[in-house]
Amino acid sequence: MFLTIHTTGTPEHPATDLGFLLHKHPDNAQVFSTSYGRAHVFYPEADERSCTAALLLEVDAVALVRRGKGKGRGGAPDAALGQYVNDRPYAASSLLAVAIGAVFSSAMKGVCRAKPELPSRPRPLRIEVPAVAARGGAGLVRRLFEPLGWTVTAEPVALDTEFPEWGESRYVRLELESSALTLAQALRHLYVLLPVLDDAKHYWVAPDEVDKLLRAGEGWLAGHAEQKLIVGRYLSRRWSLAREAMDRLELVRLAESDDSEVEEIDNAVAEESETEQRPTPLAVQRRDAILDALGRPGTARVLDLGCGEGHLVRELLKDPRFTEIVGMDVSARALTIAARRLKLDRMGERQAARVRLFQGSLTYTDARLKGYDAAVLSEVIEHVDPPRLPALEYAVFGAARPGTVVVTTPNVEYNVRWETLPAGHVRHGDHRFEWTREELRTWARTVAERHGYDVEFTPVGPDDPEVGPPTQMAVFTRNTTTETPNKKDEKDEKDEKDEKDEKEVKAA
């Protein structure tokens, strides 16, 4: 993975000023360690008229596989060879963007203590990247870079030069030229747009990525014509983060376009904030409703079934009422993220004794789930194929039999209120179904009757008078006076009847 930055100069403003801006001396070849390999910085040429700095990133394919991001694209994700033979070491992507941010961090910030006047001075620049992964082709490359003041050359790379009939690959050779931009602006453009072109990131996109995007996009992203595409791809289509970023960019755009208008908005927001708080996210409302449902006396040992990345487990740990918390999920990757989010490796001994995470499937009975006071299935059942629901039902209500079971699931009737959700689509690509309120009630009442539970229904989120709430919740409470007969109970009843018949025969 290779990138060069070239500039020209004069005796008054020598090209070797590039070394001051990058904080890398032209006479030295330097090596930097990264999470996925080594980054080399060197200068193929350096004099007062012409200077070129090169960044070479050697990617460790084994490190990528160990961290779960080395899977080849375009084939089966579990193909053993595809994990090691892929485009990551060669085509510019988020790996190169991260290396730019790490190796040239001071240059990106526009800091140069030796010559403070240099960072703010535009200079002639030519940036070349031999191979860029471009999902969208050369046309998208131009749409992203040309509005920022670059002259763009994006040449598609043929799949095979000996067989031109095979057509073009999704890679381009990229060359950017400008004399009106500073080096800091150029590096920030690359930092954001290389992952956008690749449309993939090699690391988990956390909420702090919004701040990184806005810092790197300061001064240009708010007014970019492809802003929505840039934000969505950079944040790996985590739409909650994308909406936050778009909202903050809109305020920036207003500030840049009309200061007086922003002052009016600020005044209105200040007045409104006295009487109205920012809406609470639905995920937070859902967790609060679950915690309320678990508030009955004697609920101390709780199962989070389908715990995902540990959001609810983290909230349960904050409440001292819960003395034992178990998170179970079928995804080992989700459990790894949950352990990292909970900081299990740094947790105190007493706190660590309260929580366990393990892998398992809800469609199979599991002896580890027996004996708990409560179980939560938060946004879980809609990920199960309908023919497998009876297996889940028996595993939870028939075999594990916790005292309380809390189930939340989307209300499909509310989907018409989501402006960004196309008609007829479910909220997540992995949802096997989404139920109406009546469908949930029918299923829940049948389950409750079959296994000896009472059930109540609670709306979560704004309860629309026409279509109901966005999330519906069913709270099952085991009926201790009317336990469901099982085979052992049936055998006992038969033995009692036989004994009674025998006594009647002897009396006769």
Side-chain angles (χ1 to χ4, degrees), residues 140-458:
L140 178 60
V141 177
R142 286 188 285 270
R143 297 205 312 272
L144 293 179
F145 282 100
E146 285 181 347
L148 302 176
W150 292 102
T151 299
V152 180
T153 302
E155 299 177 354
V157 177
L159 283 172
D160 193 310
T161 55
E162 295 184 6
F163 300 95
E165 65 273 14
W166 288 6
E168 299 171 349
S169 70
R170 66 181 185 85
Y171 305 98
V172 299
R173 187 188 71 80
L174 177 63
E175 182 177 307
L176 304 171
E177 289 189 85
S178 175
S179 58
L181 296 170
T182 66
L183 179 64
Q185 289 172 321
L187 292 175
R188 289 198 293 264
H189 295 166
L190 292 170
Y191 180 82
V192 172
L193 297 180
L194 287 178
V196 168
L197 284 170
D198 186 36
D199 195 16
K201 281 202 169 184
H202 67 279
Y203 59 90
W204 172 250
V205 175
D208 64 348
E209 289 294 305
V210 175
D211 294 326
K212 293 180 185 178
L213 172 62
L214 297 185
R215 281 197 300 269
E218 184 178 359
W220 62 272
L221 183 54
H224 200 291
E226 299 291 342
Q227 179 195 104
K228 186 174 181 180
L229 179 143
I230 293 170
V231 171
R233 285 192 175 191
Y234 184 88
L235 297 172
S236 296
R237 294 179 175 80
R238 291 194 63 188
W239 299 120
S240 60
L241 300 182
R243 283 193 294 270
E244 178 188 345
M246 295 291 286
D247 290 343
R248 290 168 64 178
L249 285 168
E250 179 64 14
L251 291 176
V252 172
R253 187 190 66 79
L254 291 173
E256 292 175 348
S257 63
D258 189 340
D259 290 340
S260 62
E261 182 179 353
V262 170
E263 185 176 353
E264 293 176 4
I265 291 174
D266 288 341
N267 292 336
V269 170
E271 293 174 2
E272 184 178 344
S273 64
E274 296 178 2
T275 56
E276 182 177 352
Q277 296 181 346
R278 183 180 178 181
T280 303
L282 179 59
V284 175
Q285 295 184 58
R286 187 184 302 121
R287 287 195 291 271
D288 289 344
I290 291 170
L291 291 172
D292 288 342
L294 296 176
R296 58 180 294 183
T299 302
R301 305 174 67 236
V302 180
L303 298 165
D304 184 4
L305 304 178
C307 65
E309 296 167 7
H311 295 283
L312 178 60
V313 172
R314 182 173 57 183
E315 295 304 312
L316 291 168
L317 275 170
K318 295 177 182 178
D319 194 325
R321 293 178 302 172
F322 306 118
T323 59
E324 184 179 351
I325 302 153
V326 171
M328 188 186 84
D329 201 277
V330 72
S331 168
R333 179 178 180 274
L335 291 171
T336 300
I337 295 171
R340 189 182 308 136
R341 171 172 281 114
L342 296 170
K343 298 182 175 63
L344 291 183
D345 56 338
R346 287 176 281 171
M347 190 176 287
E349 184 177 348
R350 180 177 298 179
Q351 189 79 334
R354 296 174 58 209
V355 61
R356 282 192 301 142
L357 301 177
F358 57 72
Q359 189 175 13
S361 171
L362 284 174
T363 56
Y364 298 94
T365 58
D366 192 330
R368 295 174 297 178
L369 305 182
K370 292 184 178 180
Y372 285 84
D373 301 318
V376 178
L377 291 87
S378 179
E379 309 301 285
V380 170
I381 60 172
E382 64 272 10
H383 292 272
V384 179
D385 289 317
R388 301 292 292 163
L389 278 177
L392 178 148
E393 173 193 331
Y394 178 75
V396 175
F397 295 91
R401 293 191 61 74
T404 301
V405 181
V406 180
V407 176
T408 73
T409 189
N411 169 24
V412 70
E413 297 169 78
Y414 193 88
N415 287 358
V416 296
R417 297 292 188 258
W418 300 116
E419 296 180 0
T420 57
L421 186 65
H425 285 239
V426 292
R427 298 183 197 177
H428 190 280
D430 189 53
H431 285 186
R432 284 7 184 211
F433 61 86
E434 288 178 359
W435 276 337
T436 64
R437 288 168 289 175
E438 186 56 36
E439 286 172 329
L440 173 66
R441 283 168 168 76
T442 300
W443 175 82
R445 287 168 179 152
T446 301
V447 170
E449 183 178 357
R450 182 180 293 130
H451 297 283
Y453 282 79
D454 298 322
V455 62
E456 297 180 353
F457 304 96
T458 303

